[in-house]
Amino acid sequence: MTAELVRGQNHPLPHSRLEIRVTAGVPVLACATLGDDRGTVLGVEWIAHPGSPTLPGIEVSRQAAAGLRFHVDLEAVPDRAHLVHVLLALPEGVGGPARFGTTASPFAAVTATDGTEIASFTITDLEAESAVIALELYRRQGAWKVRAVGQGYAGGLAELFGDQGVPQAREFAAGIQEAVARHMASAIQAPLTGTPDGVRVRADGSATATQPGQTAGGAGAGASSGADVTPGPGATPHQLPGTPGQQPGGPADGQGQQPAAVAHGTAGGRVDYTHPRRRNTAPPTPPPASPPSQPGQAPRPVAGDATGWSMEERLYNQVWGMFEDLARATAAYRSAVDFAESRMDQELDRVLSDPRSRIGGTGDAAREVARAKRDQLTDQAREALDRDLGQLAAESGVVEPALPPAYARWDNPVWHAYRVPMDNPMALRLGDLHLPERTELRIPMLVRLPLERGLWIDSGRSGSEAALMLDEGQLRRLAMDNAVAHAARLLAAYPPGEFTVHVIDAAGSAAGSLAPLVAAGVLNQPPASGAGGVAAVLAQLTRRVDLVQMAIRGGAADSLPPGLDTAEQLLIVNDFPHGFDDRAVTQLRYLADEGPAVGVHLMMVADREDATAYGPVLDPLWRSLLRITPVADDHLADPWVGHAWTFEPLTMPPGSQILRRVLEQVAEARRAWRR
């Protein structure tokens, strides 16, 4: 999975041989610098640029273009080098744009040599800057990582090189720009702009006709074909035609690079290099449109403000968009704090490495300055995080009341107006997720239906502090109450006759928790108890899985036995492995593995410690299930950015009769459906 980085975020590099692919709306030039453990570039010989494009382990493009590639071999980078900075700059003296604020946001992707994308970074929020540090590859404890930097410089390459300690930075940068301008003037034709009659006019006034299927500018267009590769209305800023994720057919030059975007003409023959379709905002707003906001303020959030064919799908996509936004914002904040700490350590090491600076007040002053910079960076990161989280909190405030019953908390008023649905649900809410940066900001945890894997509600006391505060009996009761609430939500979300619940309670210890289901009459048969009841239910569901599988494989789905229940099936198992012999355990594992594909789903309420006698035999069973808890626990981790998310189960409001009323409506609808 590609890691989409934000400023300050880092990501490990699994390969030593890499390519860094850069796309931009206009030609840019590429440089790379090698830095020591303090980030200092020791001389111009540690800089790769178009005039001298190779260093040990680094090769940059020899000319400015809208599509660039850096070739990197980290194993060949000298041992003295601990940092590799990837730099981009706008060429000077060629009539192009003077600042990144008038161009499309540059996009950088780190890929393996086979093209597999490892990490990407869209460099946004550039205005007056004409040079930028896009990425930083750095060595940490023998391993290499990439960090998204996005640090721009209004003073161009000269200011950037000066900040990195390059001697005579201004003269060196001027030499690079002069060489690039000389090369562009001799090798790249003036860009083209469209006219109504189909004739393309160059910026220098010459004209050429463009025939369908012919590259603009003819076969000898050189390094730039002049084709428009700006993103379309449905493209993301970093996805251009011809790149992964877009429709094929986007033009590319002979070196496999994306050509420069077309410059658009204005009256009087002048060229406007502003990107014609630059997207500074979100994608086109789907209905309903956001209400207008005050100037200078972010648009007010609206429920369903996401793509989708139905309101339910739009809300689902919006919720997961909120999850991704929270993950990104928190990752950026944490990485920025780490960067501030690392920078403070580097500055202190640089100052205190001189023994003379450790005597007197020099060392103390250096520490104060370094800590002040660290605090400033941390405060800026926190301010950005608070702004992002404030927007998410406002969005959550309008989304929560609009959620359908399958997505809503039990205290949502939508349950008071509950009506039996006519269509199958898209997803189910299991609980809430939050991060420690703002615990009151909860994101609904939605899973797609039908369930692709079973659920395991852990009734054990290992793990969270909340579980350790309860005794074993309380925790088991909470776990079973949670299972009943999930079963009731599923029954309420499906149309009558489309969902069936089975219960195995071998010891009969869950009678109190199961009372709402039993009293409402929504179970086709009473909860199974004892070894005989366990065997009967497992045999029934195993037979169903076998029959449906054979029918599907044989292409004879209409030949199933008349009495077979073809609805989605949920099996709740309480106090596993009590009442299970070896045959029953084998059948349970079979249902967990094969059942979801044919509509049989498993919900285990169990303490793994109770099944230790089986040893590793049951390890595949536990791994196949999604573990959730009856109390708050931070056991869920997303592989995207690695956050440990705290899971909060959904709880019934004290004294609420919602569960009973909803189940009564479900039971009445089921009885009417059977008549």
Side-chain angles (χ1 to χ4, degrees):
M1 181 184 295
T2 303
E4 297 182 6
L5 305 180
V6 296
R7 271 188 177 83
Q9 187 178 353
N10 57 48
H11 188 75
L13 294 174
H15 308 289
S16 59
R17 297 178 64 85
L18 306 166
E19 283 188 354
I20 300 175
R21 304 178 182 183
V22 175
T23 55
V26 295
V28 295
L29 64 91
C31 299
T33 61
L34 299 180
D36 59 13
D37 56 350
R38 301 176 183 175
T40 302
V41 179
L42 299 184
V44 295
E45 66 276 7
W46 279 40
I47 302 176
H49 55 86
S52 178
T54 59
L55 288 175
I58 307 292
E59 182 178 357
V60 304
S61 296
R62 296 175 178 269
Q63 62 189 34
L68 301 171
R69 294 196 183 191
F70 295 73
H71 299 275
V72 181
D73 184 357
L74 296 174
E75 293 182 353
V77 173
D79 292 338
R80 293 180 62 196
H82 291 258
L83 296 172
V84 179
H85 281 131
V86 175
L87 316 179
L88 306 175
L90 294 171
E92 298 176 359
V94 295
R99 57 191 182 92
F100 277 113
T102 59
T103 71
S105 298
F107 171 75
V110 182
T111 71
T113 53
D114 61 359
T116 303
E117 196 167 294
I118 300 169
S120 63
F121 176 41
T122 303
I123 310 170
T124 58
D125 299 328
L126 297 178
E127 292 297 339
E129 298 87 347
S130 59
V132 61
I133 301 176
L135 299 172
E136 176 184 85
L137 312 182
Y138 64 98
R139 199 196 315 253
R140 179 68 56 83
Q141 297 178 349
W144 285 89
K145 294 184 177 183
V146 59
R147 176 183 284 122
V149 181
Q151 174 65 54
Y153 293 84
L157 278 178
E159 183 182 357
L160 191 157
F161 286 149
D163 193 47
Q164 293 193 341
V166 177
Q168 298 181 334
R170 186 169 301 279
E171 292 79 3
F172 184 68
I176 294 176
Q177 290 284 8
E178 183 180 353
V180 170
R182 194 164 52 242
H183 189 278
M184 291 181 69
S186 62
I188 301 180
Q189 300 181 26
L192 304 175
T193 182
T195 61
D197 58 0
V199 177
R200 296 207 169 186
V201 183
R202 300 192 183 279
D204 58 8
S206 62
T208 179
T210 305
Q211 301 296 331
Q214 176 184 357
T215 303
S224 176
S225 67
D228 187 357
V229 298
T230 56
T236 56
H238 63 267
Q239 290 178 330
L240 305 179
T243 60
Q246 291 296 312
Q247 296 296 326
D253 63 18
Q255 298 177 347
Q257 298 173 347
Q258 294 291 346
V262 175
H264 292 253
T266 59
R270 295 180 60 82
V271 179
D272 178 11
Y273 282 92
T274 303
H275 197 287
R277 290 192 296 274
R278 185 183 183 196
R279 293 177 52 190
N280 294 318
T281 59
T285 304
S290 300
S293 57
Q294 296 297 324
Q297 295 181 353
R300 286 181 286 172
V302 168
D305 194 11
T307 58
W309 292 101
S310 65
M311 187 61 173
E312 184 182 21
E313 185 179 0
R314 292 201 296 269
L315 286 168
Y316 175 86
N317 291 332
Q318 185 173 11
V319 166
W320 278 108
M322 292 163 58
F323 171 85
E324 293 175 358
D325 289 344
L326 178 56
R328 272 195 294 261
T330 306
Y333 169 71
R334 293 179 181 179
S335 295
V337 171
D338 291 342
F339 176 74
E341 293 286 348
S342 174
R343 178 172 176 174
M344 181 185 70
D345 293 340
Q346 292 178 3
E347 290 180 354
L348 289 177
D349 290 343
R350 184 162 52 244
V351 171
L352 300 180
S353 60
D354 184 355
R356 293 171 296 180
S357 64
R358 302 175 196 164
I359 303 173
T362 306
D364 294 337
R367 292 186 185 92
E368 290 299 326
V369 171
R371 288 171 184 149
K373 290 182 180 179
R374 186 270 316 272
D375 293 342
Q376 181 183 9
L377 291 174
T378 302
D379 292 342
Q380 290 175 351
R382 186 70 209 195
E383 181 181 352
L385 177 67
D386 290 341
R387 181 181 63 250
D388 293 340
L389 297 191
Q391 294 175 358
L392 281 174
E395 186 174 9
S396 177
V398 298
V399 168
E400 275 289 350
L403 295 177
Y407 300 1
R409 293 192 185 104
W410 287 111
D411 58 358
N412 193 311
V414 72
W415 287 107
H416 294 279
Y418 170 75
R419 295 292 182 269
V420 176
M422 301 301 294
D423 298 314
N424 287 354
M426 180 180 179
L428 178 77
R429 184 173 186 166
L430 295 179
D432 292 334
L433 299 172
H434 66 82
L435 291 171
E437 277 73 11
R438 183 173 292 186
T439 57
E440 68 274 14
L441 178 56
R442 309 292 176 89
I443 305 297
M445 179 180 176
L446 303 180
V447 293
R448 290 296 295 263
L449 293 176
L451 294 170
E452 297 181 357
R453 56 191 297 201
L455 301 175
W456 166 30
I457 303 177
D458 190 356
S459 60
R461 300 184 66 228
S462 59
S464 69
E465 295 182 3
L468 296 174
M469 296 293 291
L470 301 174
D471 62 39
E472 183 177 338
Q474 289 176 310
L475 203 56
R476 290 179 186 272
R477 174 63 185 262
L478 280 176
M480 196 60 198
D481 289 346
N482 206 248
V484 169
H486 288 314
R489 183 181 291 265
L490 285 164
L491 287 167
Y494 277 89
E498 296 295 328
F499 199 84
T500 302
V501 176
H502 307 266
V503 179
I504 291 178
D505 184 21
S509 60
S513 297
L514 293 170
L517 298 178
V518 175
V522 293
L523 300 179
N524 286 4
Q525 55 193 12
S529 60
V534 171
V537 172
L538 291 177
Q540 174 188 350
L541 292 177
T542 301
R543 176 176 175 271
R544 183 193 182 283
V545 171
D546 291 339
L547 289 173
V548 175
Q549 281 186 338
M550 287 188 292
I552 292 174
R553 291 169 183 169
D558 55 350
S559 63
L560 290 169
L564 188 71
D565 185 2
T566 57
E568 296 286 322
Q569 310 283 312
L570 175 68
L571 173 60
I572 302 176
V573 179
N574 183 45
D575 274 353
F576 176 81
H578 185 84
F580 282 72
D581 56 17
D582 291 345
R583 176 180 174 80
V585 169
T586 301
Q587 289 177 317
L588 191 70
R589 288 185 55 187
Y590 176 73
L591 293 177
D593 293 337
E594 304 295 334
V598 292
V600 177
H601 312 285
L602 187 60
M603 184 184 294
M604 299 273 290
V605 181
D607 180 0
R608 189 169 181 175
E609 295 297 322
D610 294 342
T612 53
Y614 287 93
V617 173
L618 291 180
D619 286 351
L621 172 64
W622 304 118
R623 286 196 297 267
S624 69
L625 304 175
L626 173 61
R627 176 178 175 257
I628 57 178
T629 54
V631 293
D633 192 7
D634 60 353
H635 66 285
L636 292 176
D638 67 273
W640 185 37
V641 292
H643 294 326
W645 293 81
T646 297
F647 172 80
E648 287 271 1
L650 299 174
T651 57
M652 201 69 60
S656 174
Q657 299 298 314
I658 286 296
L659 185 62
R660 178 182 61 81
R661 293 173 185 170
V662 169
L663 289 176
E664 286 176 354
Q665 287 184 260
V666 170
E668 178 60 31
R670 288 163 63 92
R671 286 191 292 269
W673 174 78
R674 290 194 183 100
R675 294 194 194 98

